Amino acid sequence: MKSNTDETHLMQYVGIFRKALWPDGNLKPPSVPRSVEEKSNTREEANRKLTTLMPDLAANMIGRSNARRGARRMFAVLQNRRLNQHLVYTVFDEIIAALFPEAVFAST
């Protein structure tokens, strides 16, 4: 972890991020919006993958039926845009805190 957070690596990460958002120095054009059918297919595929992956991983600990029920509940929770946004921000905060512990400010 220490070698991945040195100045050289961090500059590479910033460069990758910058090229992804501003290819050739210009803001990346908006992508083509997905159709309702594409969104529905993606949602169904994600649900199918989650409901097959979770029970396989957790079946030995909590039982197969509980794992299936948990996978369905997790999928339902992940459909909330506001919660997803909060989750992304929280994970991003944790990554920043891990990479730059000196920059973490104590809450008052």
Side-chain angles (χ1 to χ4, degrees):
M1 180 71 179
K2 191 82 166 169
S3 66
N4 289 333
T5 59
D6 64 8
E7 187 175 349
T8 306
H9 282 95
L10 289 177
M11 291 306 295
Q12 288 176 344
Y13 301 146
V14 169
I16 291 168
F17 181 72
R18 188 179 50 174
K19 287 178 185 175
L21 289 179
W22 296 280
D24 300 323
N26 300 318
L27 184 61
K28 185 177 178 180
S31 59
V32 177
R34 295 183 306 150
S35 69
V36 174
E37 183 180 340
E38 288 174 320
K39 289 179 183 181
S40 178
N41 288 341
T42 302
R43 183 176 287 120
E44 289 172 14
E45 185 178 340
N47 187 18
R48 189 171 40 257
K49 286 182 179 182
L50 187 62
T51 55
T52 54
L53 178 67
M54 279 287 288
D56 290 344
L57 295 174
N60 292 335
M61 293 185 291
I62 60 174
R64 188 161 296 279
S65 65
N66 286 336
R68 281 192 194 112
R69 195 170 30 248
R72 284 192 301 269
R73 182 172 289 164
M74 183 179 287
F75 179 76
V77 167
L78 291 174
Q79 300 310 302
N80 185 313
R81 183 180 180 137
R82 187 168 171 95
L83 290 178
N84 285 343
Q85 187 177 25
H86 181 69
L87 178 64
V88 168
Y89 289 151
T90 302
V91 169
F92 185 70
D93 281 345
E94 292 298 322
I95 291 170
I96 295 299
L99 292 176
F100 308 105
E102 68 278 358
V104 176
F105 301 103
S107 61
T108 56

